[in-house]
Amino acid sequence: MAGPRNISVSGASRPVLPRHAKLRYDETRKVWVILAPERVLAPDEIAVEVLQLCNGERNVGDVADQLAAKYAAPREAILVDVIAMLQDLADKGFLTEIREKTS
Amino acid sequence: MSDVTIPPSDSLAVLEKQRSTAETFGIPLAVLLEITHRCPLQCPYCSNPVELDRSGKELTTDEWKKVLSELAEIGVLQVHFSGGEPTARKDLVELVKHASDAGLYTNLITSAVLLTRERLSDLADAGLCHVQISFQGIEEGLADRVAGYKGGHRKKLEVAKWTRELDLPLTVNAVMHRQNLHQLPDIIQMALDLDADRLEVANVQYYGWALKNRAALMPTVAQLEECTGIVETARERLKGRLTIDYVVPDYYALRPKKCMGGWGRQFFNISPAGKVLPCHAAESITGLDFESVRSNHSIAWIWQNSDAFNRYRGTGWMKEPCKTCEFREIDFGGCRCQAFALTGDAANTDPACALSPLHETIFKQAEAEAAGETSRFLYRNFAGGTLESENGT
Ligand code: SF4
Ligand code: SF4
C-alpha cells in the first residue's frame, strides 16, 4: 500500500520520499532535483543530504544527530531546521513516512 | 513544466524558468510525447490538431526508442506518454521500459478505457512513475456523452482503483466547461475517494476541436468565478492531501496566459509522426515548417535552431501592441495558436489580451455563446468530426 499522506513531521517520524517523487542528480545542469508529476523541485545541498539520510529506517532525530556530528553544530537547531524543511515537503505532497503496522 | 537555471535559494524551490534561459534556451525539463493520435474517445475539446496523424505515419518502436535515448542524453528529465490514447500503441510497455532504463521519469496521460489490470501492472513493472487519468464528469450520463464513448466513465473509475492498488500515484484530470462546471465540488470529492495525489482542474482552451465547439463549451463569467472560489477553498482544506492544479480559460482575463511559458522557451512535444513542436496545437498554424526527428538533425539542434522554434521566440517578432508593451517579457504576447485561430496571423496579439483590437468583439461573442442554448457537440474523430444528434446520442 501507498504510504500515508498529510503527515506531521516530528523527531520520531521516519519520512521517505513517495514513489512519485524521485531524487536524482541532473548531470546536464549539475544540480540535484526531485522529480514529481508536472514539477521539478531543486532541493539545496542540506535538503539533499537530509533526504539521502531519510532511508525509511532512520527517524528525523537520528538524521539530526548525524548532521550535528558531521557539522559540529548544535543538534537542537538542526532538528528544528530539518523538521521545517521536511514539513514543507510534506505539505507540498512529496513526503510520506514509514509507520509500524497497528494491527 | 519548467527549465532549470540557477538553483533558487529557497531550500525546496519549484524550478521555474528564470531569466537566463531566455538567452540560452536550455533543454526543457519535461517533454510531451504524443505517441499516437488514435483514440477511442471523441472529446469535443480534444487538444489534438483537427488534421490527425494516421497510424501509418506514426514513428515505429525503434524510432521512439531512439528518441527516448536522445532525450535522456540531452538532459530531459521527464517524459509524458500521451496522445491520442497512448495505450492504443501495442509497444507502450516496451517504450516505458526503455525510458525508465534511460533514467527518465515517466508519466502516462491516459483516458484509461483501453487498459486492463494486467497491462497496467506490466507498465508499473516497466518503471512507470505516475498515471494521469482524464475524467469528463462525475456520473456516466454526462461523462460518457462528453467523451462520446459508452461505458467509459465506469471503466475509468475501475482503472483509477487499480492504479492505487498497484501503488502508482494518480492524478485525476478533469477538463471543465459550461456543461460540467456545476459538478466541480463532486469532482474534487471523487478525486479524494479515488485516493488521487493530484487533481488537475483544467478549463478548456479554445483552439482546434474546442474552438469548433466553443458555443457548446464556453462557461459564463459567473460560473468561472464560482469555480475559482471552489478551487481556492478546496486547496486550503486539502493542503498536503491533494494537490490541485488549476488552469483557467483566458477569454475572461484581461491579459493572456503565458502560453507554454513562451514559444520555444521551456517546452516542446513530439507528434505521432515525429514532428518536434513548440506546443501540441502548433500544427494548427499553417505556413510553419516543423522539423521531424526523422530528419538528419538532432533534437537539440531542432530545439535551438529550427525556423519554427525561432520564429516566435523572444520578443523580436512582435507587432503592436505587444512590441512596446511593458508585459511583453511576462506573457510573450499570449498564445500563438489562439492568435492564429482567431485573427489569421500567429504574430498578432492573442485576442485574449484586452489590448488586442479584437478583444472586445471576441469577448462579447464568447459571452453571448456562453449564455446561448447550443449544447450539441461536434465529436473529434479521423473523419473530421461528427455532430451529436439532436437528442444527445
Ligand atoms: S481529449 Fe479525448 S479524444 Fe482527445 S485524445 Fe484525449 S481522450 Fe482522446
Ligand atoms: S499587448 Fe501583448 S505583451 Fe502586452 S499584455 Fe497584451 S499580449 Fe501581453
Side-chain angles (χ1 to χ4, degrees):
Chain A
M1 256 316 285
R5 302 196 184 97
N6 210 357
I7 65 169
S8 168
V9 181
S10 71
S13 18
R14 284 186 287 149
V16 282
L17 285 174
R19 177 176 176 141
H20 64 280
K22 299 213 189 293
L23 180 67
R24 197 161 281 171
Y25 186 69
D26 175 3
E27 287 289 348
T28 308
R29 301 169 187 84
K30 308 288 176 218
V31 285
W32 281 91
V33 290
I34 298 172
L35 301 174
E38 299 291 329
R39 280 175 182 65
V40 177
L41 305 178
D44 66 14
E45 275 169 51
I46 298 294
V48 171
E49 201 166 351
V50 169
L51 289 170
Q52 284 169 335
L53 290 171
C54 290
N55 57 1
E57 278 170 21
R58 284 190 194 92
N59 68 28
V60 175
D62 303 334
V63 171
D65 286 341
Q66 292 226 357
L67 293 175
K70 179 167 172 192
Y71 294 104
R75 180 186 184 273
E76 284 320 300
I78 288 187
L79 184 63
V80 170
D81 286 353
V82 169
I83 290 177
M85 190 279 287
L86 290 172
Q87 190 62 53
D88 182 25
L89 198 59
D91 289 345
K92 289 185 167 117
F94 302 128
L95 202 68
T96 182
E97 66 182 342
I98 308 291
R99 286 185 190 163
E100 302 307 338
K101 296 230 172 7
T102 43
S103 56
Chain B
M1 279 165 273
S2 44
D3 236 325
V4 187
T5 50
I6 311 140
S9 53
D10 178 353
S11 70
L12 284 165
V14 175
L15 286 186
E16 295 278 14
K17 179 205 64 66
Q18 298 295 336
R19 32 205 161 82
S20 66
T21 38
E23 290 96 52
T24 59
F25 311 119
I27 290 291
L29 297 175
V31 170
L32 181 75
L33 306 175
E34 295 178 311
I35 58 176
T36 179
H37 277 158
R38 285 173 286 142
C39 181
L41 268 51
Q42 317 181 59
C43 308
Y45 49 72
C46 183
S47 65
N48 287 159
V50 178
E51 272 305 316
L52 297 163
D53 284 351
R54 304 230 162 227
S55 59
K57 288 168 77 184
E58 287 175 14
L59 296 184
T60 63
T61 307
D62 285 343
E63 283 174 314
W64 276 119
K65 283 187 178 170
K66 195 175 150 260
V67 165
L68 289 164
S69 304
E70 194 173 336
L71 292 175
E73 228 164 82
I74 60 181
V76 171
L77 300 174
Q78 301 189 333
V79 285
H80 305 288
F81 287 96
S82 178
E85 177 44 48
T87 62
R89 281 201 57 131
K90 295 205 175 62
D91 54 3
L92 183 64
V93 175
E94 204 179 333
L95 296 179
V96 168
K97 173 95 176 37
H98 190 87
S100 313
D101 289 348
L104 292 163
Y105 182 100
T106 52
N107 177 22
L108 177 66
I109 300 179
T110 179
S111 71
V113 301
L114 300 177
L115 277 166
T116 59
R117 197 178 196 284
E118 197 190 350
R119 190 134 187 256
L120 190 61
S121 151
D122 289 347
L123 285 165
D125 291 342
L128 186 65
C129 304
H130 177 257
V131 177
Q132 170 170 328
I133 301 179
S134 61
F135 284 85
Q136 280 73 24
I138 42 137
E139 37 79 31
E140 11 187 31
L142 178 65
D144 288 355
R145 189 191 138 232
V146 173
Y149 186 87
K150 283 239 155 35
H153 185 68
R154 193 176 300 190
K155 184 67 194 281
K156 286 162 187 274
L157 292 172
E158 205 176 7
V159 178
K161 217 175 110 234
W162 298 337
T163 303
R164 298 300 295 125
E165 282 169 10
L166 291 163
D167 201 14
L168 282 164
L170 171 71
T171 288
V172 166
N173 163 273
V175 179
M176 308 306 295
H177 45 82
R178 184 171 81 240
Q179 298 194 48
N180 70 359
L181 264 173
H182 64 282
Q183 295 188 342
L184 182 57
D186 294 328
I187 285 179
I188 295 171
Q189 189 54 47
M190 180 181 78
L192 286 171
D193 294 344
L194 290 173
D195 196 28
D197 304 79
R198 191 171 149 263
L199 168 65
E200 213 172 72
V201 177
N203 275 285
V204 166
Q205 303 294 312
Y206 294 93
Y207 28 72
W209 293 96
L211 186 56
K212 290 180 179 289
N213 281 291
R214 196 176 63 182
L217 296 169
M218 184 59 80
T220 63
V221 178
Q223 256 187 320
L224 264 189
E225 278 171 0
E226 198 191 332
C227 168
T228 305
I230 292 170
V231 168
E232 278 166 7
T233 320
R235 267 186 179 157
E236 193 45 44
R237 178 168 60 94
L238 302 171
K239 204 171 97 178
R241 168 67 188 83
L242 180 72
T243 308
I244 305 181
D245 285 344
Y246 183 47
V247 183
V248 281
D250 54 9
Y251 270 60
Y252 294 141
L254 290 177
R255 291 211 277 116
K257 62 179 182 294
K258 180 184 184 180
C259 191
M260 298 294 141
W263 182 275
R265 300 180 83 79
Q266 43 180 295
F267 176 86
F268 66 83
N269 69 307
I270 301 182
S271 78
K275 295 265 175 71
V276 186
L277 308 173
C279 101
H280 50 261
E283 281 181 297
S284 65
I285 304 175
T286 53
L288 277 180
D289 242 347
F290 299 103
E291 299 267 358
S292 164
V293 298
R294 281 174 171 156
S295 70
N296 48 17
H297 289 300
S298 69
I299 296 172
W301 185 94
I302 296 174
W303 166 255
Q304 305 274 1
N305 305 307
S306 70
D307 176 52
F309 277 93
N310 283 325
R311 184 82 65 93
Y312 302 116
R313 230 176 207 150
T315 54
W317 54 273
M318 287 179 175
K319 306 195 223 170
E320 294 296 354
C322 294
K323 198 182 172 78
T324 52
C325 176
E326 57 175 316
F327 298 115
R328 65 183 184 276
E329 297 268 349
I330 294 173
D331 60 37
F332 292 98
C335 169
R336 302 282 54 77
C337 304
Q338 187 154 277
F340 182 80
L342 298 176
T343 76
D345 181 353
N348 279 335
T349 297
D350 178 349
C353 176
L355 298 172
S356 156
L358 289 163
H359 180 78
E360 272 295 297
T361 343
I362 287 166
F363 177 86
K364 288 239 166 63
Q365 197 186 341
E367 226 181 1
E369 285 174 1
E373 299 288 299
T374 316
S375 60
R376 276 170 87 187
F377 293 136
L378 176 76
Y379 287 117
R380 167 256 204 228
N381 54 35
F382 280 88
T386 306
L387 194 63
E388 184 183 17
S389 67
E390 291 279 7
N391 55 10
T393 48

